[in-house]
Structures are given as C-alpha cells and as structure tokens.
Amino acid sequence: MNHTEKKAAAYPASIPFIIANEGAERFSFYGMRSILATFLVAQFFNPSLNPSLQGVAEAKANEITHLFVSLAYALPFVGAIAADWFFGKYRVILYVSVVYCLGHLCLSLFEDDLDKFRLGLLLVAVGAGGIKSCVSANLGDQFNESNKHLMAGMYAWFYFSINSGSVLSTIMIPWVYANYGPSWAFGIPGLLMALATVIFFSGRKKYVKIPPSGINKNNFLFISGYALIHFRRRKKGQPLLDVAKVKFDERKVEDIKSVYNVMAVFAFIPVYWALWDQSLSEWVLQATKLDLTIFSFQVLPEQVQTVNPFFLLLFIPVFNYWIYPFFDKMGIKTSPVRRIGAGLVVTAISFLIIALIQVSVDGGARPSIWWQILAYALLSASEVLISVTGLQYAYTQSPPSMKSTMAALWLMTTAIGNFFTGMVNRNIAQDGVFSGLKGADYYWFFIGLLCAFIILYFFVAGRIKERSYIHSPEDELLVASQSHGQ
C-alpha cells in the first residue's frame, strides 16, 4: 500500500517537457524583443544615423515595439477561451507554437522588408499570447490529489525556467546581433522556439489533457453583457448585476461582483505598464547614448536590461522576509493596496532618474550606465510591489471560479498600458499633438501622468473594500510565474 502511494506521489512524467518548453519559448521571446527597438531604428527608420531623424526614428520603433507587446498581452484572453471552450490546452499550445515558429522565420528572413517583418511580429504576438494563457494552467493540470503537494516545487522550477530563458537570451542575442547581424540574432530565437515546439510535441503521450468544456455562458462576459443590455429591468436600490440573476446562476453573479471590486485597483495598473515596458525599448535606446563601461567591461545597450530579472529575484525574498515584516512590526500594515501605492511612487522615482539622465544626454554629456542600472533597481522593486502583489491581490480577492478571469484581466492591463504608449509614439512620429515630447520632455510627460494617477489612487484606495478568499501555496507560485513575464 505504501509503495503504491509513493508511486502515486511521484512527479508526473510530463513535467520535464512542459518546463523545458517554457524555458526555450521564453528565450525566443525575450531574445528577439531585447534587440527589437534598436534594430528597427538602425535597419528601417534611420540607417544613415542622421541626428535630425533620430527622434522620429525612435518614436516609430517604440510604436511598433509597444503595439507588439500590447497584442501579445491582449491575446491570452482569446487563447484561454479557445482552450477552455473549443480545443483544449494541448492543441492550442501546439497550434500556436507552429504560428510562433513561422513568425520567427519571417523575422529572420525579411530583415530588409518592413511589411513582412511586421507580419513576423504579428505571428510572434499571436504565438506568445496564445501560449501564455495555457502553459502555466497546463502545468497544474498534470497533478492530482495524490501528488498535488509537489505542485509548489514544480511552479518554482517553472518560474526559474522563465527567468533563465530571459536572462540567457538578453545576454546572448545582443552579442550575436552585434557580431553576426540580424539574421542570426532573430534566427536563433526562432530555432529555440522550434526546439520548444518539438519538446512539447514529444511529450504528447504523457500529458493529462483536460477536454474542452464547450461554450460556457455562465461567465464574466455573458453575465456582464446581459446585465448591461437589460439595465432597464434594474429595480431601485438593486445592484446592476443582480438583473442577471433571473437567467444565470446567482452564486456566479455574486462571484463576478468581486471581480469588479478588484478592477477598481486594476484601473490604476495600465499606467504602470505604460511606463514599465519603456525599460525594454526607450531605456534601451537611451543606453546607446551612455557610457556603457561596467567594471572595465564594455556592455552592449541591449544587454543592460538583463539586470531586471536579477534584481527581481533578489528583491522578492528581501521584501517578503524583511521589508514587509519590518513595517508590520512598526504597526504599518503592508496591505496589498498600500504596496501597490508605494510601487507607483517608486516607479515615479525610477523614471525621475531616467529623465535626469536624458537631460544630461540632451546637454551633450554621456552619463554612466550605472545611473540607468540604479533606475532598473528601483523599477524592479516596483515590480515586486505592484506586479507580484497585484496578481496576489487578484487571486485572494476573487473566488476560485473567477481566478482564471482575473489572470486574463491582469494581462490585459499590460496590453492597455502598452497600447497607450504605442499611440503616443505614433502621434510623435506623425507630428501630432505630442510631437513636442522630445528628449527629456518625453519622460517628464509620463512622470506627470503617473503622478496624477498616484494622487487619484490614494484618494480611491481608502474606499476599496477587501475580502480575502482562501488560496493555496500553489497559487502563490502561479502568481509569481505570471507576474514577471514580461
């Protein structure tokens, strides 16, 4: 009997395939993204390095980069619906992985054709978005009652594979780009994505495959839509969503109310991502104008972003085991709402440093890259305060039936933030109302915008009601794996 229990408690045979697949896929995504902004400027928008064209060229590159990220983070919602209702997670991951590979192929082959290169970005965004919604949930599907106590450890390895892939790629791919050109620099991530697809397909006979449930109308979208369409049926003093109780499950309607309560906090998160994702585009372009000497070594501008995952892995335990307990002992409760507010302030400080660096660059100086690394350190701290805390807040403030919805809505905040930044850059490139945001003024604009949201947040935060739902240790690691994924 004990022998049977030990066998049942062993790790599922499918796990190595899923974790290896995730590491290779993240390598491919972060690798191509690490050089995207600088490549677009140098290859398409200002190949002659004309200083008078540089501002518009960078705006065009930032526009494409942010809109690409926006699409990649909007599509997980579609991928989740496709997996849960129609095809199942395994098929969605496999099918979009093939699309993903085709996208990388386009990036590698069409380095001189902007339209076809954009097609490649579109395909990569579809692939990355479709996979992101399914892989972490597919990992959880592999466990049952007999071995679920092993799940937390596996999510830790899953999170490790994400960060390992991103760190290795952001060090290696910029070096390949500088020494061997864009074809190899975009081709190697494509090869890693092809490897990820092969690895995933190789484990096909070992996966636990949860069949699709079919269209489930008892969900967030259908219930919210029904309530809005039939708002005239609302009785005096009755919450709007209660209108839907005549057609949908009453418990489900109550669960959806908790989602809207969390969305009061989520409303302030897009502005955070509008700034955060500039660290992988605008900050990279700024680094090309800095003194890139670190301990007597010359680094490439695209490699500097590698410090972010290092700082993140350092700060997560520091905050959880020292900083939060320190303030709690002082009687200052570090609630999720307060952590997020503090994170917004830290983000503003990190961008203040970036703006001052740009002031110096605009004045003809060449500041040390160490100043930007300081900004990265603060930005990573803000990521612990906002990104990790935000998903934990969503998970603890929503009932089990709404956790997948909350994860999708969380990713949507990244999509909205990047879409806004992309549109600002498009307007700059087209000589629109934001065309005056040149040099440091660009960063001052976003700092001002963030400060306005901070003031509004502190006004609203005290009115947000919190309700804690029991959640498991596995949820904590699932949160961590989805919060840094940028």
Side-chain angles (χ1 to χ4, degrees):
M1 182 70 176
N2 289 337
H3 178 68
T4 303
E5 289 177 356
K6 286 183 180 178
K7 287 188 66 177
Y11 289 113
S14 58
I15 295 301
F17 296 94
I18 296 174
I19 291 180
N21 164 266
E22 180 66 7
E25 184 273 327
R26 289 290 86 185
F27 182 102
S28 75
F29 183 81
Y30 283 109
M32 60 78 56
R33 187 179 171 184
S34 69
I35 61 172
L36 183 58
T38 50
F39 166 78
L40 288 170
V41 171
Q43 189 72 12
F44 294 119
F45 300 130
N46 193 16
S48 63
L49 302 179
N50 186 336
S52 64
L53 300 177
Q54 188 67 16
V56 171
E58 291 185 358
K60 290 179 178 179
N62 289 330
E63 175 199 343
I64 291 177
T65 301
H66 286 292
L67 293 183
F68 162 73
V69 174
S70 178
L71 183 60
Y73 279 82
L75 288 176
F77 193 80
V78 178
I81 291 176
D84 292 342
W85 290 3
F86 303 109
F87 306 109
K89 298 181 188 72
Y90 170 77
R91 288 186 177 179
V92 168
I93 294 172
L94 183 62
Y95 296 162
V96 298
S97 291
V98 175
V99 174
Y100 210 149
C101 291
L102 291 174
H104 277 296
L105 183 63
C106 288
L107 298 184
S108 179
L109 293 179
F110 303 122
E111 60 178 275
D112 297 317
D113 189 325
L114 181 57
D115 289 336
K116 291 178 181 176
F117 189 86
R118 279 176 167 165
L119 173 62
L121 288 177
L122 173 63
L123 295 176
V124 170
V126 170
I131 284 178
K132 195 169 185 66
S133 63
C134 300
V135 174
S136 59
N138 186 50
L139 178 63
D141 287 347
Q142 307 308 305
F143 292 85
N144 54 38
E145 287 298 319
S146 68
N147 57 16
K148 68 178 182 180
H149 62 284
L150 301 172
M151 191 185 298
M154 280 300 97
Y155 271 114
W157 281 108
F158 183 75
Y159 187 42
F160 177 80
S161 72
I162 291 173
N163 282 280
S164 297
S166 67
V167 169
L168 290 173
S169 64
T170 51
I171 293 174
M172 176 182 173
I173 297 304
W175 180 85
V176 173
Y177 176 50
N179 290 276
Y180 296 98
S183 292
W184 277 104
F186 287 112
I188 290 175
L191 292 175
L192 263 292
M193 189 58 227
L195 176 62
T197 305
V198 171
I199 291 172
F200 184 75
F201 181 72
S202 298
R204 63 192 181 281
K205 295 181 180 179
K206 300 181 184 297
Y207 299 125
V208 174
K209 300 174 185 176
I210 306 298
S213 62
I215 297 177
N216 174 22
K217 294 185 177 181
N218 210 34
N219 64 37
F220 176 80
L221 291 177
F222 281 95
I223 292 174
S224 298
Y226 182 90
L228 287 172
I229 292 171
H230 299 90
F231 73 96
R232 295 182 184 276
R233 298 180 184 178
R234 175 175 170 270
K235 299 177 183 178
K236 186 176 181 180
Q238 182 187 39
L240 177 60
L241 283 172
D242 283 354
V243 172
K245 288 182 177 180
V246 299
K247 185 176 179 63
F248 298 94
D249 179 75
E250 291 189 12
R251 181 66 262 172
K252 197 73 172 182
V253 174
E254 290 299 318
D255 287 350
I256 289 173
K257 289 181 182 179
S258 69
V259 173
Y260 281 103
N261 191 48
V262 174
M263 286 175 67
V265 175
F266 276 20
F268 294 88
I269 304 301
V271 69
Y272 170 71
W273 293 119
L275 276 75
W276 190 98
D277 272 296
Q278 292 181 34
S279 68
L280 304 183
S281 53
E282 283 88 336
W283 291 22
V284 177
L285 292 169
Q286 184 188 70
T288 64
K289 307 173 183 74
L290 306 182
D291 177 2
L292 295 168
T293 305
I294 298 180
F295 298 127
S296 302
F297 292 97
Q298 283 292 118
V299 298
L300 296 168
E302 299 92 345
Q303 292 176 323
V304 181
Q305 60 192 285
T306 307
V307 301
N308 171 251
F310 279 118
F311 282 132
L312 185 66
L313 291 175
L314 172 66
F315 288 154
I316 287 176
V318 168
F319 275 84
N320 285 334
Y321 295 111
W322 285 288
I323 295 179
Y324 294 152
F326 173 76
F327 281 103
D328 288 339
K329 287 179 181 178
M330 290 181 62
I332 304 173
K333 185 181 178 182
T334 56
S335 66
V337 172
R338 286 180 175 177
R339 293 179 189 181
I340 292 171
L344 292 173
V345 173
V346 173
T347 304
I349 296 172
S350 73
F351 266 77
L352 176 63
I353 294 172
I354 293 296
L356 292 175
I357 293 172
Q358 192 62 45
V359 168
S360 184
V361 170
D362 294 344
R366 194 173 180 84
S368 170
I369 192 61
W370 283 107
W371 288 108
Q372 199 181 80
I373 290 175
L374 174 60
Y376 270 110
L378 290 169
L379 194 68
S380 299
S382 77
E383 191 173 352
V384 178
L385 288 163
I386 295 177
S387 184
V388 175
T389 300
L391 256 183
Q392 288 174 339
Y393 178 79
Y395 271 62
T396 58
Q397 297 296 306
S398 58
S401 65
M402 289 287 104
K403 293 189 188 298
S404 295
T405 299
M406 294 313 308
L409 290 174
W410 175 260
L411 295 175
M412 193 63 72
T413 63
T414 303
I416 295 170
N418 275 274
F419 182 79
F420 174 77
T421 306
M423 289 296 98
V424 169
N425 278 279
R426 172 178 290 185
N427 188 270
I428 292 172
Q430 295 177 348
D431 199 27
V433 294
F434 293 121
S435 60
L437 300 180
K438 299 176 181 178
D441 289 342
Y442 178 85
Y443 295 112
W444 291 124
F445 166 76
F446 279 98
I447 292 170
L449 178 67
L450 178 59
C451 287
F453 269 85
I454 290 172
I455 294 170
L456 183 60
Y457 180 82
F458 285 121
F459 177 77
V460 172
R463 293 166 170 76
I464 296 174
K465 296 179 181 179
E466 296 185 28
R467 176 183 177 184
S468 183
Y469 291 83
I470 300 296
H471 64 294
S472 66
E474 295 82 54
D475 284 340
E476 295 283 350
L477 283 152
L478 181 59
V479 163
S481 70
Q482 294 191 25
S483 62
H484 180 60
Q486 301 304 323

